[in-house]
Amino acid sequence: MGGAKVSQIGLQDAIDATDVIGRCDWDIPNDRAFSDPTVALLFGVDPALAKVGTPLARFMSGMHSEDRDPTHRLIERCAKAGRSYLAEYRVCSADGNLRWVLARGRFALSQTGAPLRGSGILIDVTQKWFDQADHASAAVLHSDHPLERAAEHCLAAHKAINELPRSVLHLLSDALLLEVGSQLAKLEGDQRRARMN
């Protein structure tokens, strides 16, 4: 069995095992985007490139064409303002399936106010959209929910922990980010269902 086929099967298994896909980071001045292997495969990016960093446009090209521009504009606005973002969009993954993704992240500015870094988590919310394929995507959600505030603090803590030598704190921080992200996806689904009723 070829390596591509194994990667596609691995992607399906990894996503099916949990709704959380993984993490991504973006070095904005150098335009280098980094991600977990599962995130890379989801966007059709070679995991080896995602490990060493590749231009953000390479990840963006894996998005559904209708969602690419609105999501790119959202990312640009949030990066310039140094604020957090929450977006949903479709991706055309390496296994040939179209998936809905909930992306939650935050941007940091340099001392001069220029966009410096972005960091976030991605969650597969495909099941929620199974019967709603025509939904408009990439909307910013504003909420004062405790999970939203927790996500902000988790992302800030994760950034600080990554400046420390590798330890169990890194694993705990990753696990916390993924769990908060999973709970945010559930919250968003509940809120959307409530708005539809």
Side-chain angles (χ1 to χ4, degrees), residues 19-84:
D19 291 336
V20 177
I21 299 166
R23 293 187 54 253
C24 59
D25 295 289
W26 183 28
D27 172 358
I28 299 172
N30 298 306
D31 190 23
R32 306 307 286 172
F34 306 85
S35 78
D36 298 336
T38 307
V39 172
L41 288 171
L42 184 76
F43 284 84
V45 174
D46 181 341
L49 282 177
K51 184 176 182 178
V52 298
T54 189
L56 182 65
R58 181 66 191 86
F59 282 89
M60 299 292 290
S61 68
M63 288 183 186
H64 190 283
S65 59
E66 293 175 9
D67 299 338
R68 194 175 300 132
D69 287 342
T71 303
H72 188 259
R73 287 192 299 270
L74 170 67
I75 289 171
E76 282 187 332
R77 281 194 314 270
C78 294
K80 286 178 184 174
R83 66 178 182 150
S84 62

Side-chain angles (χ1 to χ4, degrees), residues 163-174:
E163 295 173 12
L164 299 170
R166 194 84 183 146
S167 72
V168 71
L169 283 176
H170 290 82
L171 296 174
L172 293 171
S173 175
D174 285 345

Side-chain angles (χ1 to χ4, degrees), residues 18-20 102 121 123 147 176-187:
T18 176
D19 291 336
V20 177
L102 175 71
I121 54 174
I123 300 144
L147 276 174
L176 182 59
L177 263 179
L178 294 176
E179 180 58 27
V180 169
S182 180
Q183 293 297 318
L184 271 173
K186 182 181 180 309
L187 172 67

Side-chain angles (χ1 to χ4, degrees), residues 3-16:
K5 186 67 173 171
V6 171
S7 294
Q8 291 173 5
I9 292 170
L11 174 63
Q12 183 66 48
D13 291 345
I15 292 175
D16 288 347

